[in-house]
Amino acid sequence: MPGKDCVKVAVRLRPFNKRERDAGSRCIITMSSNVTTIQDPRNQQARRTFTFDHAYWSHSGFIRNKDGLFVPEEQGSRYADQSHVFQDLGEGILENALQGYNATLLAYGQTGSGKSYSMVGYGPNKGLVPTLCERLFQALKINQEGRQCQIFFSMLEIYNEQVIDLLSRGAGTRSGGGLKVREDLQWGFYVEGLRRVPCDSAALVAQLMEQGTRTRTTAATHMNANSSRSHMLIIVQLKQIFSKENITKQSNINLVDLAGSERQRSSGSEADRLKEGTAINLSLTTLGNVISSLADVTLGKRVVHIPYRDSVLTKLLQSALGGNSRTVMIATLSPADICYEESLSTLRYADRAKRIQNRAVVNESPTERLIKELKAENAKLLTRLSRLGQEGRGTEDESKELRRILTHNELQIRAIQTMWEQHLQEALKDWEQQYATITQERRMMQTHPYILNINEDPQLSGVVKLFIQEGEWDIGLSDNSPRAITIKGLGIQEKHAVFTNQERRVAITPEAGAKVIVNGVPVSHRTELQHVDRLILGSNSTYLFVGFPSERSGEDWSRYDYDYFQSELAAAEGFHIHSLCEEHNPGKRDQADPSLLAVFYDYIKVMPMVAEANQMSQELRKGVQFKLEIKNLAMSDSKGHDLQKEVAVRVTALENKQVWVWSKAKFINRKFLMEELYQQQVVEAEGGGRSPPPPPRDRDPFWDPLEPLHLGSAHLWLQSLAFRIPLEEQVEVLGPEGTEEAILQTQLIPCSPAGLPLGEEDILIDPTELLGRRLDFQLVLEQCCGLRWLREARDRGVQIGFRVYDNPRTLYTPAVWHSVNTELNHRVQFTVTRTTQEFLSYLQTNALVLELWGLQAGCAEMTSDLQSVKTTPEGSVIIDEANITETGPASELSSSLQALQQELDQLRKANAALRKENSALRDQLNTPATATREGEPVRQSSLRPSCDAEFARALKVFYHSMTSVRGQLQRLRRHKPSEEADLSSLRLFVEEQGRLLRDFGEQLEQSVTALKQDVAAIVRRKRERSGIWS
């Protein structure tokens, strides 16, 4: 019986990358022995700890030696280099393969966390895969006596549930449906038609890997597909024939670089009506389900079904997960605080995987058994022929038949044994052709300038080199001309641009309508290129220009990665991380907010996808435009705290001006659906057939049903209600990016239960006088002026939504259509049945957030759920529902007790005041008639109520005067010159602006002077009454 082997799991932490260092990111992961701890950057006390077989600290404590290898900076350093990782993980995989076990290595983690570096490596720092292949051939050269070894190499990619053979000629596109996955009763799932290349050296394996990477790059560039969403599998089949023992050991080594595991940051408030990402996420999602099910089995839970068959990836990895294989998983982590959610998700995933148990056995080759059976049959036939000859029996026909069978069996044996040599010779011929191509490419690199592809996946960058020789060269889709450089991708025209190489100067000249960007700036005319200039052709085909050899100074080009291109493009559009941080944290330019960093990285990640979506919309004639924006960039909650910022995509139908706003997750999902639709068109066009009919509207990824759009919000501060002072104010409605969407005229009016406004005598100096008492007030929304939403298209409408205190339901004004200056005239009365200290704090520290919603023709209006809103008999909305949820005798008794307790507290306070006053009177009686001013507490205390009332009236007058001052300030803000104004109009504007400023200053000075005079008069009267003069 085979023994049980748990999946061995290791985690590895990479160093900060350039963008994280520039942004001042903080490391949130610590490692000690095999224990890994992650800290929530938003809560210093929140930590999660995980234990794995290995924990590799590759974050710090290293240097680069003279050979370019990253090694520990000092002896005893905990830095884990590539050789350390291979010693722990690769050696075990190699040993298992040589013993005849199937072995699997899985690399899991978010995009950019170091999966490819651990698996493949970079430069001299070779990863697990090339090192494993080198060590495998070294091990096979030892003890060759009595052992014949055969190695076959295969390389494939799974993208959108399609299998692409990366070693097959003509695999440079992702169209055609891919290869089929079949099932064999004995050997399980396999890829039908997958090329298996015999190898006799590590050099040949390295060449095949380079060929596969080139094919993968070409396929990704052709469709602008995201390589981080594809899985790469390398399959090394090892067969060892031991002649002395007359046995064969056969093992499959599966080396799997899984797709990026990043989670989509989304509010979770919307679900896409179309299926998520077609099949783009299916394999990774199913792999997680398989791992969870297998982990449950190990824990003794009853699992009915393990979904191996739900995706291509899990079919091919069935033996690696819970089957006949010894499996290792390496989970790679980013150290940065902005990657907390993704890193925590990776750790949880790995923690489940370590519980999986496999049952590995040594494999015997069916081909070797066939040879054994044929040899055994031949031996029997020879024995039978010998007996026939000795006994002189049998016919001549019988002897001929036996000899024919014997000859046929020997031919079969010879064919099986020579098959390996034939395949190997064919592979060597291919390798010689590839080697000649590589040699020629290296010679041209030393003599000519060229452009180098840059990909989001660092392993796919620098693979394609397009040389610019002397003269003029057309670059584009066309390959008809002998002086053409052929590239494919979204937005690439037949003849896209012309490269000119004359007198050792290279220039690019875009064709009419062609999109060409140099160093982040669009160009439309001849532009001379300098060494390491960055080019973007079409929607997102990115290249680095490498100048003549004399211009190359040996600098490190690795800093010009994919993120550099996109950051440069964003900066050219005015979106830069440092300016963003400075805007939101003045004076703290170098102290980046992690939430802002996350938004910035999301922005530069989604930006090229938006460009591709716009190109697909244009080519498919969808008439839809996509624009990237940041949600909640300038918005805050009711306390004034910044809301969480998110990337969103604004979608506009150009013909009828209909608008949608999609979250990042929804847009990415739709973008993959757009790719699928676009790819169908491309396949039909390349095949010369008619274009398929457009999908029905409800299945069209470019369309969505219309919904109300959140245009912005305004803040109406509630502090005046704590003093029962009415408020009349004009508030700005600010959009997500800080633009002024409208001006809203509002009022807050304290009132009686019947709705009558309170008078001046009801104004409070001390808000605590409201405690335990009922408070009624009205919110009046009078008018919404200057609606930007309706200036863009008149067939639109608006509604205002708001929610007060504990009321969980949002109330909406009736919809108003077709007017830029909309009369709302909406009045709602609210009631607090018993004012608490909590509600007073709410009034003094919170604002009423008024949300402006935009409506479009055919869009359903938003309605208030009045059925579930509790109201008073007068029809006022009760907002402290927690105080009235109980009913019956118990609640009445509780209310009575609370009222009595409050009355008792007031009596105690009054008693304490009387005691103090009595004491003061007693002291006064005991003093001489010529008492000092301190000896008159009674007269002073009797004057306080009247003085307080006078102060309250003075403050109210000042408050009302300041309302008109605020109105004047709003008029100043809105007063802007016309865009088409001439010089005389500008002079008039300046004169009018000066007049408004003078009026504003006079009103402000009058209000302050009146307040000073009122206060001085009140103080003078108080002193006259008390007989105190200074």
Side-chain angles (χ1 to χ4, degrees):
M1 291 290 292
K4 293 183 179 180
D5 299 296
C6 286
V7 172
K8 182 185 291 187
V9 177
V11 293
R12 190 180 191 187
L13 185 69
R14 65 158 172 79
F16 285 129
N17 57 29
K18 181 181 182 299
R19 68 182 184 187
E20 292 165 348
R21 287 194 303 271
D22 292 346
S25 296
R26 184 169 59 89
C27 181
I28 57 170
I29 293 176
T30 58
M31 290 179 170
S32 176
S33 185
N34 59 347
V35 176
T36 301
T37 303
I38 183 169
Q39 175 184 302
D40 189 339
R42 297 159 298 189
N43 182 357
Q44 300 295 325
Q45 306 302 319
R47 297 172 179 267
R48 295 289 305 274
T49 299
F50 301 86
T51 302
F52 300 105
D53 296 283
H54 301 282
Y56 298 120
W57 179 268
S58 300
H59 177 65
S60 60
F62 62 92
I63 58 173
R64 176 180 285 185
N65 66 13
K66 61 180 181 180
D67 298 323
L69 294 172
F70 295 111
V71 296
E73 62 182 352
E74 59 184 21
Q75 192 171 5
S77 170
R78 61 173 177 163
Y79 175 74
D81 58 10
Q82 296 285 59
S83 62
H84 184 179
V85 175
F86 180 81
Q87 184 177 352
D88 287 344
L89 305 181
E91 292 281 7
I93 293 173
L94 179 62
E95 184 62 29
N96 287 329
L98 292 173
Q99 291 177 8
Y101 292 99
N102 291 335
T104 301
L105 173 63
L106 300 168
Y108 181 86
Q110 73 177 109
T111 301
S113 63
K115 294 193 312 295
S116 296
Y117 179 78
S118 294
M119 289 291 283
V120 181
Y122 184 79
N125 297 279
K126 294 182 180 179
L128 287 164
V129 176
T131 307
L132 178 65
C133 293
E134 288 180 2
R135 295 289 298 275
L136 175 62
F137 283 100
Q138 291 174 9
L140 295 179
K141 289 180 181 178
I142 303 173
N143 299 327
Q144 286 187 326
E145 184 179 354
R147 179 174 66 173
Q148 179 187 357
C149 297
Q150 301 175 0
I151 295 178
F152 291 90
F153 183 90
S154 300
M155 190 173 180
L156 62 91
E157 179 187 49
I158 301 174
Y159 182 83
N160 202 16
E161 287 302 281
Q162 293 185 11
V163 178
I164 298 97
D165 185 352
L166 296 177
L167 301 182
S168 173
R169 298 176 183 85
T173 64
R174 283 173 169 155
S175 58
L179 302 178
K180 302 297 183 184
V181 176
R182 306 294 187 189
E183 185 177 11
D184 181 83
L185 294 177
Q186 182 174 0
W187 296 103
F189 291 101
Y190 66 96
V191 179
E192 185 180 49
L194 181 67
R195 191 179 181 204
R196 297 166 63 247
V197 181
C199 299
D200 64 347
S201 68
L204 180 54
V205 170
Q207 173 57 35
L208 291 170
M209 286 182 62
E210 185 176 342
Q211 177 186 339
T213 303
R214 185 183 297 270
T215 304
R216 194 180 184 202
T217 305
T218 305
T221 305
H222 178 69
M223 226 345 268
N224 279 285
N226 190 335
S227 64
S228 67
R229 304 303 285 266
S230 67
H231 313 278
M232 184 185 70
L233 279 74
I234 291 175
I235 304 170
V236 180
Q237 294 179 323
L238 170 63
K239 181 178 179 181
Q240 304 172 85
I241 304 170
F242 297 90
S243 55
K244 290 183 179 179
E245 295 85 355
N246 200 23
I247 61 171
T248 294
K249 292 180 181 179
Q250 180 171 308
S251 59
N252 288 343
I253 307 173
N254 298 308
L255 308 169
V256 188
D257 188 352
L258 295 170
S261 63
E262 54 270 15
R263 304 168 69 232
Q264 299 296 341
R265 264 187 293 269
S266 175
S267 62
S269 61
E270 63 171 326
D272 197 350
R273 64 185 178 84
L274 300 181
K275 61 179 179 177
E276 182 180 352
T278 59
I280 204 74
N281 292 321
L282 182 59
S283 283
L284 206 59
T285 303
T286 306
L287 180 62
N289 295 336
V290 167
I291 288 176
S292 296
S293 299
L294 292 171
D296 289 342
V297 170
T298 305
L299 294 174
K301 296 182 181 179
R302 184 172 179 270
V303 177
V304 177
H305 172 65
I306 298 175
Y308 289 115
R309 297 175 178 272
D310 289 359
S311 77
V312 168
L313 177 68
T314 47
K315 286 179 181 178
L316 297 178
L317 293 182
Q318 182 172 3
S319 63
L321 300 169
N324 177 23
S325 177
R326 288 183 171 170
T327 301
V328 175
M329 173 184 283
I330 181 168
T332 53
L333 304 172
S334 165
D337 44 12
I338 60 172
C339 298
Y340 168 74
E341 296 290 345
E342 288 80 0
S343 296
L344 179 60
S345 176
T346 299
L347 288 168
R348 287 172 172 163
Y349 201 95
D351 193 56
R352 292 197 303 270
K354 72 181 185 182
R355 300 188 179 97
I356 298 174
Q357 292 182 342
N358 291 348
R359 293 173 174 79
V361 296
V362 176
N363 301 296
E364 183 182 4
S365 169
T367 303
E368 185 60 22
R369 280 206 306 271
L370 177 59
I371 293 175
K372 288 181 189 177
E373 292 168 359
L374 290 171
K375 286 182 177 179
E377 186 178 355
N378 282 359
K380 290 178 182 179
L381 290 172
L382 288 171
T383 303
R384 188 173 176 186
L385 282 172
S386 176
R387 289 177 182 173
L388 287 174
Q390 291 174 0
E391 297 174 3
R393 296 184 294 106
T395 63
E396 185 178 350
D397 292 338
E398 187 176 358
S399 298
K400 285 182 179 180
E401 179 62 22
L402 290 174
R403 287 191 177 90
R404 188 191 65 77
I405 296 174
L406 182 63
T407 303
H408 176 73
N409 289 349
E410 288 176 348
L411 289 173
Q412 275 191 278
I413 294 171
R414 195 175 296 116
I416 292 172
Q417 291 175 334
T418 57
M419 192 181 299
W420 159 257
E421 285 80 4
Q422 291 175 356
H423 285 315
L424 184 59
Q425 290 301 318
E426 292 174 3
L428 289 174
K429 288 181 181 178
D430 287 346
W431 183 82
E432 289 174 359
Q433 294 175 0
Q434 293 285 339
Y435 183 78
T437 302
I438 292 172
T439 303
Q440 181 184 4
E441 183 179 88
R442 288 173 180 169
R443 282 200 303 267
M444 295 185 71
M445 288 171 62
Q446 302 305 316
T447 56
H448 296 94
Y450 56 93
I451 57 175
L452 194 69
N453 82 296
I454 302 296
N455 194 279
E456 183 178 8
D457 185 346
Q459 297 298 325
L460 303 187
S461 289
V463 175
V464 177
K465 302 175 185 68
L466 303 174
F467 295 94
I468 306 170
Q469 302 180 56
E470 189 77 19
E472 290 189 351
W473 294 82
D474 298 338
I475 185 168
L477 295 173
S478 176
D479 57 357
N480 297 330
S481 169
R483 302 188 66 83
I485 301 174
T486 303
I487 61 172
K488 293 186 177 182
L490 278 171
I492 302 296
Q493 300 182 6
E494 286 293 318
K495 182 180 178 183
H496 197 83
V498 177
F499 278 113
T500 306
N501 181 356
Q502 293 177 346
E503 299 178 354
R504 298 186 67 81
R505 291 187 175 183
V506 178
I508 184 171
T509 306
E511 292 293 311
K515 182 180 178 182
V516 176
I517 296 175
V518 179
N519 300 336
V521 181
V523 298
S524 57
H525 55 275
R526 187 179 188 276
T527 303
E528 188 169 322
L529 299 178
Q530 305 297 324
H531 178 54
V532 297
D533 274 353
R534 282 77 59 200
L535 304 179
I536 300 179
L537 308 179
S539 61
N540 193 35
S541 296
T542 49
Y543 295 92
L544 182 69
F545 173 72
V546 180
F548 287 93
S550 59
E551 301 173 334
R552 308 169 199 169
S553 56
E555 73 274 27
D556 184 11
W557 300 343
S558 62
R559 74 188 188 99
Y560 300 110
D561 58 5
Y562 188 79
D563 282 349
Y564 188 98
F565 277 65
Q566 303 306 327
S567 299
E568 185 176 57
L569 193 58
E573 296 176 0
F575 188 80
H576 193 277
I577 182 60
H578 293 301
S579 60
L580 185 65
C581 294
E582 174 71 20
E583 181 181 344
H584 286 78
N585 298 291
K588 298 183 179 179
R589 180 185 178 95
D590 297 326
Q591 299 178 14
D593 181 353
S595 65
L596 291 176
L597 288 176
V599 168
F600 177 73
Y601 295 146
D602 280 349
Y603 190 95
I604 63 174
K605 176 183 177 181
V606 178
M607 188 169 59
M609 302 177 74
V610 169
E612 294 164 11
N614 278 321
Q615 185 63 41
M616 286 188 283
S617 171
Q618 180 180 338
E619 293 189 23
L620 295 175
R621 296 184 177 87
K622 290 295 181 179
V624 175
Q625 185 180 60
F626 301 89
K627 181 178 180 293
L628 194 57
E629 57 185 33
I630 298 180
K631 184 179 177 182
N632 301 333
L633 183 63
M635 301 183 74
S636 55
D637 61 13
S638 63
K639 291 182 179 292
H641 301 153
D642 288 346
L643 294 176
Q644 182 179 355
K645 298 161 185 61
E646 297 177 354
V647 167
V649 177
R650 189 179 185 88
V651 187
T652 305
L654 299 177
E655 183 178 355
N656 53 21
K657 302 298 182 183
Q658 291 179 340
V659 179
W660 301 264
V661 175
W662 291 348
S663 68
K664 171 194 165 188
K666 182 172 184 177
F667 170 73
I668 291 177
N669 176 47
R670 289 300 183 88
K671 197 259 182 180
F672 288 117
L673 291 167
M674 294 172 198
E675 283 183 9
E676 189 174 276
L677 181 63
Y678 180 82
Q679 189 69 6
Q680 293 173 1
Q681 301 280 351
V682 170
V683 171
E684 290 294 331
E686 290 178 350
R690 295 180 60 186
S691 298
R697 192 170 69 164
D698 62 341
R699 303 302 303 165
D700 189 345
F702 291 89
W703 179 86
D704 239 7
L706 291 173
E707 296 178 348
L709 296 182
H710 183 246
L711 303 178
S713 59
H715 286 63
L716 183 63
W717 293 95
L718 302 171
Q719 191 173 12
S720 64
L721 290 177
F723 300 89
R724 292 203 301 208
I725 297 176
L727 172 68
E728 183 177 355
E729 190 165 1
Q730 290 182 336
V731 291
E732 285 183 298
V733 180
L734 296 179
E737 296 186 329
T739 55
E740 184 184 286
E741 296 293 331
I743 299 293
L744 192 59
Q745 295 182 4
T746 63
Q747 290 188 59
L748 283 175
I749 306 174
C751 63
S752 67
L756 299 176
L758 298 181
E760 292 183 4
E761 64 278 3
D762 296 305
I763 295 176
L764 302 176
I765 296 299
D766 185 2
T768 57
E769 295 181 37
L770 281 174
L771 289 173
R773 298 167 61 182
R774 171 170 170 166
L775 175 64
D776 290 87
F777 64 93
Q778 293 179 350
L779 169 67
V780 181
L781 302 176
E782 296 178 338
Q783 189 177 19
C784 197
C785 304
L787 278 162
R788 183 181 173 191
W789 172 247
L790 276 95
R791 285 202 302 265
E792 296 172 355
R794 288 302 181 97
D795 61 339
R796 293 175 174 175
V798 293
Q799 287 182 271
I800 307 290
F802 48 89
R803 191 170 65 234
V804 184
Y805 192 46
D806 276 347
N807 195 331
R809 286 159 288 277
T810 301
L811 303 178
Y812 298 97
T813 64
V816 183
W817 296 80
H818 315 303
S819 177
V820 174
N821 299 310
T822 299
E823 295 288 341
L824 297 173
N825 297 323
H826 185 70
R827 185 183 298 260
V828 184
Q829 182 168 326
F830 296 98
T831 296
V832 179
T833 57
R834 187 182 309 108
T835 305
T836 62
Q837 185 61 51
E838 180 184 359
F839 182 72
L840 274 183
S841 299
Y842 167 77
L843 292 180
Q844 292 173 325
T845 59
N846 284 260
L848 181 62
V849 180
L850 304 170
E851 296 182 331
L852 178 64
W853 292 86
L855 306 176
Q856 304 172 74
C859 171
E861 298 178 4
M862 294 181 292
T863 57
S864 305
D865 184 13
L866 297 177
Q867 299 295 327
S868 57
V869 174
K870 293 183 172 61
T871 59
T872 65
E874 298 85 3
S876 178
V877 177
I878 299 174
I879 57 177
D880 59 338
E881 294 185 13
N883 292 332
I884 60 169
T885 51
E886 297 180 357
T887 57
S891 64
E892 293 176 4
L893 180 61
S894 175
S895 300
S896 301
L897 287 173
Q898 288 181 2
L900 288 172
Q901 184 65 41
Q902 291 174 359
E903 187 175 350
L904 180 61
D905 291 341
Q906 291 176 356
L907 288 173
R908 284 174 177 169
K909 291 179 181 177
N911 188 30
L914 287 171
R915 285 176 183 273
K916 186 176 180 181
E917 186 173 355
N918 286 343
S919 176
L921 288 170
R922 192 178 296 111
D923 292 341
Q924 184 179 6
L925 289 172
N926 294 331
T927 56
T930 57
T932 61
R933 293 173 187 148
E934 287 91 352
E936 300 178 358
V938 177
R939 293 173 62 191
Q940 288 187 17
S941 62
S942 65
L943 293 173
R944 181 173 299 172
S946 61
C947 290
D948 287 347
E950 290 177 358
F951 271 122
R953 282 193 289 272
L955 286 172
K956 181 181 178 184
V957 171
F958 175 73
Y959 198 85
H960 281 300
S961 65
M962 287 303 295
T963 300
S964 62
V965 171
R966 280 194 297 270
Q968 184 69 7
L969 180 60
Q970 295 290 350
R971 285 191 288 276
L972 272 170
R973 286 177 175 173
R974 293 197 301 273
H975 189 239
K976 299 175 183 177
S978 171
E979 295 180 358
E980 301 176 354
D982 54 13
L983 186 59
S984 60
S985 299
L986 287 174
R987 287 199 185 100
L988 292 174
F989 168 78
V990 171
E991 292 174 0
E992 178 68 13
Q993 188 80 350
R995 185 186 64 77
L996 290 173
L997 281 170
R998 285 193 300 273
D999 291 347
F1000 174 72
E1002 290 173 359
Q1003 288 187 21
L1004 183 60
E1005 186 175 357
Q1006 288 173 4
S1007 299
V1008 175
T1009 302
L1011 179 63
K1012 287 180 179 178
Q1013 292 173 351
D1014 289 344
V1015 171
I1018 293 169
V1019 172
R1020 186 173 59 254
R1021 285 195 296 271
K1022 178 180 178 182
R1023 288 175 175 175
E1024 289 173 351
R1025 292 169 186 168
S1026 60
I1028 300 172
W1029 297 94
S1030 56

